[in-house]
């Protein structure tokens, strides 16, 4: 009797233990399932693109989150899963090598990957990706990562950088950018270089007699003419109220002299074709075979030559100013010219009268 009781007691106890173990396993499984479900929901609802791309044994997307539809404005899911090279069709040509290196395991994955993809409107948007390589038995077999839309952030940064480096009135480079380039070629990069310093003639006269609005038009027209020559090796900047400077890198004496001559010709041609605003500027030129330690000296030489050029114009400055502004304020100019002529006539008559009086006195006291 006792034996049967022991047998059934053991059987019952084993059953209870099995149920407890099974219950614990079910609870753990349920907990794992719930955790996985939560993670899946987070991935599916993330605003960032989450992906897993297999390289070996064959190239294909293992996973691509639905958020890509929001970022690109279109649903490329079907094409992405059917065409492993789909991303090469929408990435910016300049970023093509980044993508190539990423899927070949030939890059530093510890750094963010900044790239541009084309959206449904045909515009390239800026994206930041944090990628992680996948290895199996020491072999690179794929990559996974998160891609975030940073288009607005990049555009804001570009706008701030533009404002820091550009003059708000003329939209060309400003003094800060000019000084940065001066330092670059003075200390970091040695090249043959020419500097042209341009000073507007008569800006103060124009501001005083016709207002700062007309003076601004004079500045803007001059900047536009100079900036026509701007290239990757010709830097045009406004460095003062009426001063502009041009840094010409990898220059020769001949190319620098040609630019100097072309500027004078273009100013003359501009004034022939424009009646609203006339341009006049004094220009100084300097050149050196080496820029290292020479930039400030070259700027000083260009300044000296510019003032020599300006001094040559001083004798005709009054009549130049009349000609310069005749199309802006005709009535005022006519009055100025009339007064000038009247003054000249008065001066001539005064001289003749003095001579006549002198002769008369000599006759009387003779």
């Amino acid at each position: 009797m006792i034996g049967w009781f022991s047998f059934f007691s053991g059987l019952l106890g084993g059953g209870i233990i099995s149920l407890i173990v099974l219950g614990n396993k079910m609870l753990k499984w349920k907990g794992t399932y719930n955790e996985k479900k939560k993670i899946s929901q987070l991935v599916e609802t993330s605003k960032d693109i989450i992906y897993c791309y297999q390289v070996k044994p064959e190239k294909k997307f293992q996973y691509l989150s639905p958020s890509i539809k929001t970022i690109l404005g279109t649903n490329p899911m079907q094409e992405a899963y059917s065409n492993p090279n789909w991303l090469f069709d929408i990435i910016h040509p300049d970023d093509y090598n980044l993508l190539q290196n990423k899927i070949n395991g030939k890059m530093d994955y510890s750094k963010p990957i900044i790239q541009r993809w084309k959206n449904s409107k045909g515009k390239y948007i800026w994206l930041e990706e944090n990628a992680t390589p996948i290895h199996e038995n020491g072999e690179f077999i794929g990559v996974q990562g998160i891609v975030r839309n940073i288009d607005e952030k990049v555009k804001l940064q570009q706008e701030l950088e533009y404002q820091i480096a550009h003059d708000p009135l003329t939209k060309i480079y400003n003094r800060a950018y000019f000084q940065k380039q001066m330092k670059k070629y003075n200390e970091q990069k040695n090249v043959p270089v020419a500097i042209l310093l341009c000073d507007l003639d008569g800006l103060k006269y124009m501001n005083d007699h016709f207002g700062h609005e007309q003076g601004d038009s004079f500045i803007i027209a001059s900047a536009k003419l100079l900036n026509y020559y701007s290239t990757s090796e010709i830097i045009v900047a406004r460095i003062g109220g009426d001063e502009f400077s041009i840094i010409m890198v990898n220059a020769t004496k001949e190319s620098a002299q040609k630019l100097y001559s072309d500027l004078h010709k273009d100013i003359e041609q501009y004034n022939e074709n424009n009646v609203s605003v006339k341009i006049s500027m004094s220009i100084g030129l300097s050149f050196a075979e080496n820029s290292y330690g020479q930039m400030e000296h070259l700027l000083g030489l260009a300044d000296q030559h510019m003032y020599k050029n300006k001094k040559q114009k001083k004798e005709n400055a009054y009549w130049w100013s009349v000609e310069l502004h005749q199309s802006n304020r005709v009535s005022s100019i006519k009055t100025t010219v009339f007064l000038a002529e009247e003054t000249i006539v008065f001066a001539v008559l005064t001289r003749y009268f003095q001579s006549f009086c002198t002769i008369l006195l000599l006759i009387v006291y003779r």
Side-chain angles (χ1 to χ4, degrees):
M1 185 70 178
I2 294 174
W4 282 102
F5 179 76
S6 299
F7 171 77
F8 281 111
S9 296
L11 184 63
L12 181 61
I16 292 170
I17 292 171
S18 297
L19 286 172
I20 292 171
V21 172
L22 180 61
N24 286 334
K25 285 185 177 180
M26 289 182 70
L27 287 172
K28 288 181 179 179
W29 177 83
K30 187 177 180 181
T32 304
Y33 172 79
N34 288 334
E35 289 298 320
K36 286 183 177 180
K37 188 176 180 181
K38 287 180 181 178
I39 293 171
S40 178
Q41 287 175 345
L42 286 172
V43 169
E44 294 291 312
T45 58
S46 173
K47 293 182 180 180
D48 299 333
I49 300 170
I50 300 172
Y51 74 91
C52 181
Y53 187 80
Q54 175 184 291
V55 176
K56 292 180 180 181
E58 61 176 344
K59 293 180 180 178
K60 66 177 180 179
F61 277 99
Q62 293 281 15
Y63 177 77
L64 187 61
S65 64
S67 54
I68 194 169
K69 293 183 287 187
T70 305
I71 291 178
L72 295 183
T74 185
N75 187 0
M77 304 286 280
Q78 185 176 351
E79 185 179 1
Y81 283 118
S82 60
N83 177 14
N85 294 317
W86 156 78
L87 196 52
F88 285 97
D89 297 332
I90 66 168
I91 198 165
H92 193 282
D94 292 344
D95 302 328
Y96 188 93
N97 288 336
L98 283 175
L99 178 57
Q100 190 73 48
N101 291 335
K102 182 184 73 174
I103 65 172
N104 288 332
K106 297 179 179 179
M107 71 182 320
D108 184 358
Y109 293 97
S110 65
K111 298 178 181 178
I113 306 168
I114 308 300
Q115 58 199 294
R116 289 155 290 181
W117 295 2
K118 188 188 294 184
N119 64 14
S120 60
K121 297 179 181 179
K123 295 182 179 179
Y124 286 100
I125 58 173
W126 288 93
L127 302 166
E128 181 184 71
E129 177 181 355
N130 289 290
T132 304
I134 302 172
H135 293 90
E136 189 175 277
N137 298 323
E139 183 182 16
F140 176 80
I141 63 166
V143 63
Q144 59 189 2
I146 300 175
V147 182
R148 176 166 295 177
N149 186 349
I150 58 167
D151 197 55
E152 291 185 5
K153 177 183 175 182
V154 170
K155 287 179 179 177
L156 177 61
Q157 183 178 344
Q158 289 174 338
E159 179 62 27
L160 291 173
E161 289 174 353
Y162 179 88
Q163 291 177 7
I164 291 170
H166 288 77
D167 173 56
L169 178 64
T170 62
K171 311 303 179 187
I172 67 172
Y173 289 123
N174 59 17
R175 186 178 185 87
Y177 184 84
F178 170 77
Q179 290 176 330
K180 184 178 179 181
Q181 297 303 307
M182 286 282 289
K183 184 177 181 180
K184 174 183 175 180
Y185 293 108
N186 194 62
E187 300 176 3
Q188 303 169 13
K189 198 170 182 180
N190 190 30
V191 294
V193 64
I195 294 181
L196 287 86
L197 197 60
C198 310
D199 188 86
L200 301 184
D201 299 322
L203 178 61
K204 185 178 185 304
Y205 179 91
M206 182 176 284
N207 285 334
D208 292 345
H209 291 80
F210 305 108
H212 286 273
E213 185 176 345
Q214 193 64 32
D216 286 349
S217 297
F218 182 26
I219 294 170
I220 292 169
S222 302
K224 188 175 180 181
L225 184 145
L226 293 173
N227 203 47
Y228 172 79
Y229 291 94
S230 179
T231 66
S232 59
E233 294 188 332
I234 298 179
I235 302 159
V236 181
R238 183 186 180 200
I239 61 173
D242 56 359
E243 279 189 323
F244 297 86
S245 187
I246 299 174
I247 300 176
M248 189 178 186
V249 300
N250 295 317
T252 63
K253 283 184 179 179
E254 292 74 19
S255 63
Q257 187 61 49
K258 184 178 185 305
L259 177 59
Y260 179 85
S261 301
D262 288 345
L263 281 174
H264 284 287
K265 291 176 183 177
D266 285 351
I267 292 170
E268 185 177 346
Q269 185 177 357
Y270 176 90
N271 289 336
E272 289 176 359
N273 298 330
N274 290 271
V275 295
S276 58
V277 178
K278 301 289 184 180
I279 294 176
S280 178
M281 63 178 71
S282 300
I283 305 174
L285 169 66
S286 61
F287 170 81
E289 293 287 351
N290 298 288
S291 61
Y292 268 152
Q294 296 293 319
M295 296 302 287
E296 290 299 329
H297 175 64
L298 286 173
L299 184 62
L301 282 178
D303 189 56
Q304 291 177 24
H305 296 156
M306 180 271 292
Y307 274 106
K308 285 181 181 179
N309 184 218
K310 187 176 284 289
K311 188 176 181 181
Q312 293 171 356
K313 300 177 181 179
K314 288 291 185 181
E315 295 179 359
N316 299 321
Y318 173 76
W319 296 109
W320 167 83
S321 65
V322 171
E323 182 182 352
L324 177 67
H325 307 307
Q326 63 183 353
S327 59
N328 300 322
R329 297 285 181 86
V330 176
S331 59
S332 299
I333 294 301
K334 284 182 178 178
T335 303
T336 305
V337 173
F338 173 76
L339 290 174
E341 290 174 346
E342 185 181 77
T343 303
I344 292 171
V345 171
F346 178 77
V348 171
L349 289 176
T350 300
R351 179 170 293 183
Y352 276 113
F353 181 73
Q354 289 175 343
S355 300
F356 173 76
C357 289
T358 302
I359 294 171
L360 185 62
L361 288 171
L362 288 173
I363 293 171
V364 169
Y365 288 99
R366 192 170 179 176

